[in-house]
PDB file of all heavy atoms in Angstrom:
ATOM      1  N   GLY A 337       8.193  12.144   3.470  1.00 84.00           N
ATOM      2  CA  GLY A 337       7.240  13.075   4.058  1.00 84.00           C
ATOM      3  C   GLY A 337       6.683  14.075   3.051  1.00 84.00           C
ATOM      4  O   GLY A 337       5.513  14.430   3.086  1.00 84.00           O
ATOM      5  N   HIS A 338       7.533  14.505   2.134  1.00 83.00           N
ATOM      6  CA  HIS A 338       7.067  15.515   1.187  1.00 83.00           C
ATOM      7  C   HIS A 338       6.110  14.927   0.169  1.00 83.00           C
ATOM      8  O   HIS A 338       5.272  15.641  -0.387  1.00 83.00           O
ATOM      9  CB  HIS A 338       8.259  16.216   0.551  1.00 83.00           C
ATOM     10  CG  HIS A 338       9.040  16.953   1.591  1.00 83.00           C
ATOM     11  ND1 HIS A 338       8.675  18.201   2.011  1.00 83.00           N
ATOM     12  CD2 HIS A 338      10.074  16.570   2.362  1.00 83.00           C
ATOM     13  CE1 HIS A 338       9.486  18.572   2.990  1.00 83.00           C
ATOM     14  NE2 HIS A 338      10.351  17.595   3.220  1.00 83.00           N
ATOM     15  N   ARG A 657       7.308   5.833   8.835  1.00 94.00           N
ATOM     16  CA  ARG A 657       8.553   5.336   9.431  1.00 94.00           C
ATOM     17  C   ARG A 657       9.466   4.634   8.414  1.00 94.00           C
ATOM     18  O   ARG A 657       9.919   5.266   7.498  1.00 94.00           O
ATOM     19  CB  ARG A 657       8.233   4.460  10.650  1.00 94.00           C
ATOM     20  CG  ARG A 657       7.148   5.100  11.536  1.00 94.00           C
ATOM     21  CD  ARG A 657       7.065   4.518  12.921  1.00 94.00           C
ATOM     22  NE  ARG A 657       8.213   4.916  13.707  1.00 94.00           N
ATOM     23  CZ  ARG A 657       8.840   4.138  14.566  1.00 94.00           C
ATOM     24  NH1 ARG A 657       8.451   2.898  14.735  1.00 94.00           N
ATOM     25  NH2 ARG A 657       9.874   4.570  15.241  1.00 94.00           N
ATOM     26  N   PRO A 660      13.466   6.186   6.493  1.00 96.00           N
ATOM     27  CA  PRO A 660      14.114   7.330   7.152  1.00 96.00           C
ATOM     28  C   PRO A 660      14.385   7.049   8.628  1.00 96.00           C
ATOM     29  O   PRO A 660      15.413   7.471   9.166  1.00 96.00           O
ATOM     30  CB  PRO A 660      13.122   8.488   6.978  1.00 96.00           C
ATOM     31  CG  PRO A 660      11.851   7.882   6.514  1.00 96.00           C
ATOM     32  CD  PRO A 660      12.159   6.553   5.896  1.00 96.00           C
ATOM     33  N   CYS A 661      13.481   6.324   9.257  1.00 97.00           N
ATOM     34  CA  CYS A 661      13.678   5.949  10.669  1.00 97.00           C
ATOM     35  C   CYS A 661      14.944   5.109  10.811  1.00 97.00           C
ATOM     36  O   CYS A 661      15.773   5.332  11.703  1.00 97.00           O
ATOM     37  CB  CYS A 661      12.440   5.176  11.140  1.00 97.00           C
ATOM     38  SG  CYS A 661      12.631   4.336  12.723  1.00 97.00           S
ATOM     39  N   TRP A 664      18.208   7.254  10.328  1.00 98.00           N
ATOM     40  CA  TRP A 664      18.595   7.957  11.562  1.00 98.00           C
ATOM     41  C   TRP A 664      19.261   6.970  12.520  1.00 98.00           C
ATOM     42  O   TRP A 664      20.311   7.241  13.081  1.00 98.00           O
ATOM     43  CB  TRP A 664      17.370   8.539  12.279  1.00 98.00           C
ATOM     44  CG  TRP A 664      16.812   9.831  11.795  1.00 98.00           C
ATOM     45  CD1 TRP A 664      15.538  10.037  11.332  1.00 98.00           C
ATOM     46  CD2 TRP A 664      17.446  11.127  11.783  1.00 98.00           C
ATOM     47  NE1 TRP A 664      15.344  11.370  11.022  1.00 98.00           N
ATOM     48  CE2 TRP A 664      16.492  12.056  11.291  1.00 98.00           C
ATOM     49  CE3 TRP A 664      18.725  11.580  12.130  1.00 98.00           C
ATOM     50  CZ2 TRP A 664      16.786  13.424  11.149  1.00 98.00           C
ATOM     51  CZ3 TRP A 664      19.011  12.943  11.978  1.00 98.00           C
ATOM     52  CH2 TRP A 664      18.051  13.837  11.491  1.00 98.00           C
ATOM     53  N   THR A 665      18.608   5.820  12.713  1.00 98.00           N
ATOM     54  CA  THR A 665      19.113   4.840  13.671  1.00 98.00           C
ATOM     55  C   THR A 665      20.528   4.418  13.294  1.00 98.00           C
ATOM     56  O   THR A 665      21.425   4.349  14.137  1.00 98.00           O
ATOM     57  CB  THR A 665      18.172   3.609  13.702  1.00 98.00           C
ATOM     58  OG1 THR A 665      16.831   4.080  13.881  1.00 98.00           O
ATOM     59  CG2 THR A 665      18.528   2.662  14.828  1.00 98.00           C
ATOM     60  N   HIS A 668      22.984   7.273  14.065  1.00 98.00           N
ATOM     61  CA  HIS A 668      23.241   7.408  15.514  1.00 98.00           C
ATOM     62  C   HIS A 668      24.184   6.299  15.968  1.00 98.00           C
ATOM     63  O   HIS A 668      25.132   6.525  16.697  1.00 98.00           O
ATOM     64  CB  HIS A 668      21.935   7.328  16.309  1.00 98.00           C
ATOM     65  CG  HIS A 668      21.074   8.550  16.179  1.00 98.00           C
ATOM     66  ND1 HIS A 668      21.499   9.806  16.535  1.00 98.00           N
ATOM     67  CD2 HIS A 668      19.813   8.714  15.716  1.00 98.00           C
ATOM     68  CE1 HIS A 668      20.535  10.690  16.316  1.00 98.00           C
ATOM     69  NE2 HIS A 668      19.491  10.052  15.807  1.00 98.00           N
ATOM     70  N   MET A 694      27.574  11.102   6.635  1.00 98.00           N
ATOM     71  CA  MET A 694      26.117  11.233   6.620  1.00 98.00           C
ATOM     72  C   MET A 694      25.712  12.426   5.767  1.00 98.00           C
ATOM     73  O   MET A 694      24.785  12.352   4.954  1.00 98.00           O
ATOM     74  CB  MET A 694      25.588  11.408   8.045  1.00 98.00           C
ATOM     75  CG  MET A 694      24.082  11.597   8.066  1.00 98.00           C
ATOM     76  SD  MET A 694      23.409  11.540   9.725  1.00 98.00           S
ATOM     77  CE  MET A 694      21.665  11.745   9.372  1.00 98.00           C
ATOM     78  N   PHE A 702      19.928  10.727  -0.588  1.00 94.00           N
ATOM     79  CA  PHE A 702      18.660  10.576   0.136  1.00 94.00           C
ATOM     80  C   PHE A 702      17.518  11.069  -0.754  1.00 94.00           C
ATOM     81  O   PHE A 702      17.493  12.216  -1.194  1.00 94.00           O
ATOM     82  CB  PHE A 702      18.726  11.373   1.447  1.00 94.00           C
ATOM     83  CG  PHE A 702      17.625  11.052   2.421  1.00 94.00           C
ATOM     84  CD1 PHE A 702      17.144   9.763   2.562  1.00 94.00           C
ATOM     85  CD2 PHE A 702      17.070  12.045   3.216  1.00 94.00           C
ATOM     86  CE1 PHE A 702      16.135   9.465   3.471  1.00 94.00           C
ATOM     87  CE2 PHE A 702      16.066  11.766   4.133  1.00 94.00           C
ATOM     88  CZ  PHE A 702      15.590  10.477   4.254  1.00 94.00           C
ATOM     89  N   CYS A 707      14.011  16.908   2.600  1.00 92.00           N
ATOM     90  CA  CYS A 707      14.663  16.513   3.863  1.00 92.00           C
ATOM     91  C   CYS A 707      16.158  16.806   3.737  1.00 92.00           C
ATOM     92  O   CYS A 707      16.789  17.323   4.658  1.00 92.00           O
ATOM     93  CB  CYS A 707      14.498  15.021   4.128  1.00 92.00           C
ATOM     94  SG  CYS A 707      12.804  14.450   4.237  1.00 92.00           S
ATOM     95  N   HIS A 710      16.905  20.463   4.169  1.00 95.00           N
ATOM     96  CA  HIS A 710      16.844  20.877   5.570  1.00 95.00           C
ATOM     97  C   HIS A 710      18.079  20.413   6.327  1.00 95.00           C
ATOM     98  O   HIS A 710      18.665  21.153   7.101  1.00 95.00           O
ATOM     99  CB  HIS A 710      15.608  20.264   6.256  1.00 95.00           C
ATOM    100  CG  HIS A 710      14.354  20.999   5.945  1.00 95.00           C
ATOM    101  ND1 HIS A 710      13.223  20.375   5.484  1.00 95.00           N
ATOM    102  CD2 HIS A 710      14.053  22.303   6.026  1.00 95.00           C
ATOM    103  CE1 HIS A 710      12.281  21.267   5.300  1.00 95.00           C
ATOM    104  NE2 HIS A 710      12.750  22.450   5.620  1.00 95.00           N
ATOM    105  N   PHE A 711      18.443  19.164   6.084  1.00 97.00           N
ATOM    106  CA  PHE A 711      19.575  18.609   6.809  1.00 97.00           C
ATOM    107  C   PHE A 711      20.851  19.361   6.440  1.00 97.00           C
ATOM    108  O   PHE A 711      21.664  19.695   7.308  1.00 97.00           O
ATOM    109  CB  PHE A 711      19.718  17.112   6.516  1.00 97.00           C
ATOM    110  CG  PHE A 711      20.744  16.455   7.390  1.00 97.00           C
ATOM    111  CD1 PHE A 711      20.461  16.161   8.713  1.00 97.00           C
ATOM    112  CD2 PHE A 711      22.010  16.157   6.894  1.00 97.00           C
ATOM    113  CE1 PHE A 711      21.410  15.575   9.538  1.00 97.00           C
ATOM    114  CE2 PHE A 711      22.965  15.574   7.716  1.00 97.00           C
ATOM    115  CZ  PHE A 711      22.666  15.282   9.040  1.00 97.00           C
ATOM    116  N   TRP A 733      22.262  13.852  17.782  1.00 98.00           N
ATOM    117  CA  TRP A 733      21.118  13.715  18.689  1.00 98.00           C
ATOM    118  C   TRP A 733      20.308  15.010  18.737  1.00 98.00           C
ATOM    119  O   TRP A 733      19.087  15.010  18.572  1.00 98.00           O
ATOM    120  CB  TRP A 733      21.630  13.343  20.095  1.00 98.00           C
ATOM    121  CG  TRP A 733      20.658  13.648  21.185  1.00 98.00           C
ATOM    122  CD1 TRP A 733      19.543  12.924  21.512  1.00 98.00           C
ATOM    123  CD2 TRP A 733      20.688  14.774  22.083  1.00 98.00           C
ATOM    124  NE1 TRP A 733      18.885  13.521  22.552  1.00 98.00           N
ATOM    125  CE2 TRP A 733      19.557  14.665  22.927  1.00 98.00           C
ATOM    126  CE3 TRP A 733      21.551  15.857  22.252  1.00 98.00           C
ATOM    127  CZ2 TRP A 733      19.274  15.598  23.923  1.00 98.00           C
ATOM    128  CZ3 TRP A 733      21.272  16.784  23.236  1.00 98.00           C
ATOM    129  CH2 TRP A 733      20.147  16.651  24.069  1.00 98.00           C
ATOM    130  N   HIS A 736      18.592  15.831  15.377  1.00 98.00           N
ATOM    131  CA  HIS A 736      17.441  14.952  15.167  1.00 98.00           C
ATOM    132  C   HIS A 736      16.258  15.445  16.012  1.00 98.00           C
ATOM    133  O   HIS A 736      15.118  15.471  15.537  1.00 98.00           O
ATOM    134  CB  HIS A 736      17.841  13.509  15.520  1.00 98.00           C
ATOM    135  CG  HIS A 736      16.812  12.484  15.168  1.00 98.00           C
ATOM    136  ND1 HIS A 736      17.031  11.144  15.289  1.00 98.00           N
ATOM    137  CD2 HIS A 736      15.532  12.593  14.709  1.00 98.00           C
ATOM    138  CE1 HIS A 736      15.944  10.473  14.919  1.00 98.00           C
ATOM    139  NE2 HIS A 736      15.017  11.334  14.568  1.00 98.00           N
ATOM    140  N   ASN A 737      16.537  15.877  17.202  1.00 97.00           N
ATOM    141  CA  ASN A 737      15.444  16.406  18.030  1.00 97.00           C
ATOM    142  C   ASN A 737      14.838  17.666  17.424  1.00 97.00           C
ATOM    143  O   ASN A 737      13.639  17.897  17.535  1.00 97.00           O
ATOM    144  CB  ASN A 737      15.928  16.672  19.457  1.00 97.00           C
ATOM    145  CG  ASN A 737      15.691  15.465  20.361  1.00 97.00           C
ATOM    146  OD1 ASN A 737      14.920  14.562  20.001  1.00 97.00           O
ATOM    147  ND2 ASN A 737      16.342  15.439  21.510  1.00 97.00           N
ATOM    148  N   VAL A 739      14.551  18.183  14.257  1.00 96.00           N
ATOM    149  CA  VAL A 739      13.672  17.686  13.190  1.00 96.00           C
ATOM    150  C   VAL A 739      12.380  17.150  13.822  1.00 96.00           C
ATOM    151  O   VAL A 739      11.276  17.430  13.354  1.00 96.00           O
ATOM    152  CB  VAL A 739      14.385  16.602  12.350  1.00 96.00           C
ATOM    153  CG1 VAL A 739      13.433  16.005  11.319  1.00 96.00           C
ATOM    154  CG2 VAL A 739      15.615  17.178  11.670  1.00 96.00           C
ATOM    155  N   ASN A 740      12.518  16.416  14.906  1.00 95.00           N
ATOM    156  CA  ASN A 740      11.326  15.887  15.596  1.00 95.00           C
ATOM    157  C   ASN A 740      10.382  17.028  15.979  1.00 95.00           C
ATOM    158  O   ASN A 740       9.166  16.917  15.812  1.00 95.00           O
ATOM    159  CB  ASN A 740      11.723  15.134  16.876  1.00 95.00           C
ATOM    160  CG  ASN A 740      12.486  13.851  16.581  1.00 95.00           C
ATOM    161  OD1 ASN A 740      12.411  13.319  15.479  1.00 95.00           O
ATOM    162  ND2 ASN A 740      13.230  13.358  17.568  1.00 95.00           N
ATOM    163  N   ARG A 742      10.139  19.984  14.624  1.00 93.00           N
ATOM    164  CA  ARG A 742       9.556  20.601  13.438  1.00 93.00           C
ATOM    165  C   ARG A 742       8.417  19.751  12.869  1.00 93.00           C
ATOM    166  O   ARG A 742       7.429  20.273  12.358  1.00 93.00           O
ATOM    167  CB  ARG A 742      10.659  20.801  12.385  1.00 93.00           C
ATOM    168  CG  ARG A 742      10.215  21.441  11.107  1.00 93.00           C
ATOM    169  CD  ARG A 742      11.384  22.050  10.335  1.00 93.00           C
ATOM    170  NE  ARG A 742      12.476  21.135  10.069  1.00 93.00           N
ATOM    171  CZ  ARG A 742      12.471  20.225   9.100  1.00 93.00           C
ATOM    172  NH1 ARG A 742      11.416  20.102   8.328  1.00 93.00           N
ATOM    173  NH2 ARG A 742      13.514  19.453   8.903  1.00 93.00           N
ATOM    174  N   LEU A 743       8.569  18.431  12.958  1.00 92.00           N
ATOM    175  CA  LEU A 743       7.597  17.547  12.306  1.00 92.00           C
ATOM    176  C   LEU A 743       6.457  17.113  13.228  1.00 92.00           C
ATOM    177  O   LEU A 743       5.478  16.529  12.756  1.00 92.00           O
ATOM    178  CB  LEU A 743       8.297  16.296  11.772  1.00 92.00           C
ATOM    179  CG  LEU A 743       9.378  16.544  10.719  1.00 92.00           C
ATOM    180  CD1 LEU A 743      10.015  15.235  10.312  1.00 92.00           C
ATOM    181  CD2 LEU A 743       8.784  17.256   9.507  1.00 92.00           C
ATOM    182  N   THR A 748       2.998  13.668   8.523  1.00 86.00           N
ATOM    183  CA  THR A 748       3.961  12.583   8.362  1.00 86.00           C
ATOM    184  C   THR A 748       4.179  11.838   9.689  1.00 86.00           C
ATOM    185  O   THR A 748       4.916  10.874   9.747  1.00 86.00           O
ATOM    186  CB  THR A 748       5.328  13.095   7.864  1.00 86.00           C
ATOM    187  OG1 THR A 748       5.871  13.946   8.866  1.00 86.00           O
ATOM    188  CG2 THR A 748       5.198  13.848   6.579  1.00 86.00           C
ATOM    189  N   PHE A 753       3.345   6.609  16.862  1.00 93.00           N
ATOM    190  CA  PHE A 753       4.730   6.927  17.247  1.00 93.00           C
ATOM    191  C   PHE A 753       4.915   8.435  17.184  1.00 93.00           C
ATOM    192  O   PHE A 753       5.579   8.947  16.280  1.00 93.00           O
ATOM    193  CB  PHE A 753       5.732   6.226  16.316  1.00 93.00           C
ATOM    194  CG  PHE A 753       5.675   4.731  16.417  1.00 93.00           C
ATOM    195  CD1 PHE A 753       4.788   4.012  15.622  1.00 93.00           C
ATOM    196  CD2 PHE A 753       6.484   4.044  17.312  1.00 93.00           C
ATOM    197  CE1 PHE A 753       4.718   2.628  15.715  1.00 93.00           C
ATOM    198  CE2 PHE A 753       6.409   2.666  17.409  1.00 93.00           C
ATOM    199  CZ  PHE A 753       5.525   1.951  16.605  1.00 93.00           C
ATOM    200  N   LYS A 755       6.082  12.191  17.459  1.00 92.00           N
ATOM    201  CA  LYS A 755       7.451  12.713  17.446  1.00 92.00           C
ATOM    202  C   LYS A 755       7.702  13.499  18.724  1.00 92.00           C
ATOM    203  O   LYS A 755       7.247  14.619  18.872  1.00 92.00           O
ATOM    204  CB  LYS A 755       7.657  13.575  16.212  1.00 92.00           C
ATOM    205  CG  LYS A 755       7.623  12.719  14.975  1.00 92.00           C
ATOM    206  CD  LYS A 755       8.087  13.456  13.751  1.00 92.00           C
ATOM    207  CE  LYS A 755       7.787  12.644  12.518  1.00 92.00           C
ATOM    208  NZ  LYS A 755       8.531  11.397  12.447  1.00 92.00           N
ATOM    209  N   TRP A 758      13.631  13.198  22.279  1.00 97.00           N
ATOM    210  CA  TRP A 758      14.129  11.865  22.593  1.00 97.00           C
ATOM    211  C   TRP A 758      15.493  11.968  23.272  1.00 97.00           C
ATOM    212  O   TRP A 758      16.281  12.820  22.868  1.00 97.00           O
ATOM    213  CB  TRP A 758      14.227  11.097  21.262  1.00 97.00           C
ATOM    214  CG  TRP A 758      14.475   9.628  21.396  1.00 97.00           C
ATOM    215  CD1 TRP A 758      13.540   8.637  21.389  1.00 97.00           C
ATOM    216  CD2 TRP A 758      15.744   8.986  21.512  1.00 97.00           C
ATOM    217  NE1 TRP A 758      14.147   7.422  21.500  1.00 97.00           N
ATOM    218  CE2 TRP A 758      15.512   7.600  21.584  1.00 97.00           C
ATOM    219  CE3 TRP A 758      17.062   9.436  21.575  1.00 97.00           C
ATOM    220  CZ2 TRP A 758      16.529   6.667  21.709  1.00 97.00           C
ATOM    221  CZ3 TRP A 758      18.079   8.518  21.711  1.00 97.00           C
ATOM    222  CH2 TRP A 758      17.806   7.141  21.773  1.00 97.00           C
ATOM    223  N   PHE A 790      22.780   2.796  21.762  1.00 98.00           N
ATOM    224  CA  PHE A 790      23.296   2.406  20.445  1.00 98.00           C
ATOM    225  C   PHE A 790      24.564   1.548  20.589  1.00 98.00           C
ATOM    226  O   PHE A 790      25.506   1.699  19.821  1.00 98.00           O
ATOM    227  CB  PHE A 790      23.569   3.646  19.591  1.00 98.00           C
ATOM    228  CG  PHE A 790      22.303   4.392  19.219  1.00 98.00           C
ATOM    229  CD1 PHE A 790      21.982   5.604  19.814  1.00 98.00           C
ATOM    230  CD2 PHE A 790      21.418   3.858  18.285  1.00 98.00           C
ATOM    231  CE1 PHE A 790      20.813   6.286  19.485  1.00 98.00           C
ATOM    232  CE2 PHE A 790      20.251   4.533  17.950  1.00 98.00           C
ATOM    233  CZ  PHE A 790      19.945   5.747  18.554  1.00 98.00           C
TER     234      PHE A 790
HETATM  235  C1  FAD B1169      18.491  13.308   7.474  1.00 70.18           C
HETATM  236  C2  FAD B1169      17.004  13.266   7.554  1.00 70.18           C
HETATM  237  C3  FAD B1169      16.262  14.431   7.365  1.00 70.18           C
HETATM  238  C4  FAD B1169      14.861  14.399   7.398  1.00 70.18           C
HETATM  239  N1  FAD B1169      14.136  15.542   7.152  1.00 70.18           N
HETATM  240  C5  FAD B1169      12.781  15.490   7.092  1.00 70.18           C
HETATM  241  C6  FAD B1169      12.010  16.635   6.720  1.00 70.18           C
HETATM  242  O1  FAD B1169      12.549  17.701   6.478  1.00 70.18           O
HETATM  243  N2  FAD B1169      10.658  16.494   6.628  1.00 70.18           N
HETATM  244  C7  FAD B1169      10.033  15.285   6.849  1.00 70.18           C
HETATM  245  O2  FAD B1169       8.813  15.206   6.735  1.00 70.18           O
HETATM  246  N3  FAD B1169      10.747  14.204   7.221  1.00 70.18           N
HETATM  247  C8  FAD B1169      12.088  14.266   7.331  1.00 70.18           C
HETATM  248  N4  FAD B1169      12.808  13.153   7.663  1.00 70.18           N
HETATM  249  C9  FAD B1169      12.090  11.949   8.100  1.00 70.18           C
HETATM  250  C10 FAD B1169      11.730  12.062   9.578  1.00 70.18           C
HETATM  251  O3  FAD B1169      12.769  12.686  10.332  1.00 70.18           O
HETATM  252  C11 FAD B1169      11.500  10.701  10.213  1.00 70.18           C
HETATM  253  O4  FAD B1169      12.615   9.891   9.989  1.00 70.18           O
HETATM  254  C12 FAD B1169      10.281   9.982   9.704  1.00 70.18           C
HETATM  255  O5  FAD B1169       9.150  10.828   9.787  1.00 70.18           O
HETATM  256  C13 FAD B1169      10.024   8.704  10.537  1.00 70.18           C
HETATM  257  O6  FAD B1169       9.832   9.073  11.883  1.00 70.18           O
HETATM  258  P1  FAD B1169       9.881   8.072  13.094  1.00 70.18           P
HETATM  259  O7  FAD B1169       8.721   8.341  13.971  1.00 70.18           O
HETATM  260  O8  FAD B1169      10.032   6.704  12.613  1.00 70.18           O
HETATM  261  O9  FAD B1169      11.168   8.464  13.956  1.00 70.18           O
HETATM  262  P2  FAD B1169      12.557   9.025  13.491  1.00 70.18           P
HETATM  263  O10 FAD B1169      12.568  10.474  13.720  1.00 70.18           O
HETATM  264  O11 FAD B1169      12.881   8.548  12.154  1.00 70.18           O
HETATM  265  O12 FAD B1169      13.537   8.354  14.528  1.00 70.18           O
HETATM  266  C14 FAD B1169      13.908   6.992  14.431  1.00 70.18           C
HETATM  267  C15 FAD B1169      14.237   6.456  15.784  1.00 70.18           C
HETATM  268  O13 FAD B1169      15.387   7.126  16.286  1.00 70.18           O
HETATM  269  C16 FAD B1169      15.276   7.343  17.693  1.00 70.18           C
HETATM  270  N5  FAD B1169      15.387   8.789  17.914  1.00 70.18           N
HETATM  271  C17 FAD B1169      14.428   9.740  17.823  1.00 70.18           C
HETATM  272  N6  FAD B1169      14.949  10.950  18.076  1.00 70.18           N
HETATM  273  C18 FAD B1169      16.258  10.757  18.344  1.00 70.18           C
HETATM  274  C19 FAD B1169      17.322  11.615  18.685  1.00 70.18           C
HETATM  275  N7  FAD B1169      17.137  12.920  18.836  1.00 70.18           N
HETATM  276  N8  FAD B1169      18.540  11.077  18.890  1.00 70.18           N
HETATM  277  C20 FAD B1169      18.744   9.755  18.766  1.00 70.18           C
HETATM  278  N9  FAD B1169      17.768   8.892  18.459  1.00 70.18           N
HETATM  279  C21 FAD B1169      16.544   9.386  18.241  1.00 70.18           C
HETATM  280  C22 FAD B1169      13.964   6.768  18.113  1.00 70.18           C
HETATM  281  O14 FAD B1169      14.192   5.470  18.579  1.00 70.18           O
HETATM  282  C23 FAD B1169      13.167   6.728  16.824  1.00 70.18           C
HETATM  283  O15 FAD B1169      12.219   5.709  16.825  1.00 70.18           O
HETATM  284  C24 FAD B1169      14.207  13.158   7.642  1.00 70.18           C
HETATM  285  C25 FAD B1169      14.944  11.994   7.832  1.00 70.18           C
HETATM  286  C26 FAD B1169      16.334  12.024   7.793  1.00 70.18           C
HETATM  287  C27 FAD B1169      17.118  10.756   7.969  1.00 70.18           C
END
Side-chain angles (χ1 to χ4, degrees):
H338 297 277
R657 316 197 71 219
C661 168
W664 279 121
T665 309
H668 287 301
M694 178 171 181
F702 193 37
C707 301
H710 281 129
F711 188 76
W733 159 77
H736 188 174
N737 268 344
V739 175
N740 292 340
R742 181 160 54 79
L743 299 178
T748 64
F753 296 88
K755 292 191 191 295
W758 191 96
F790 293 107

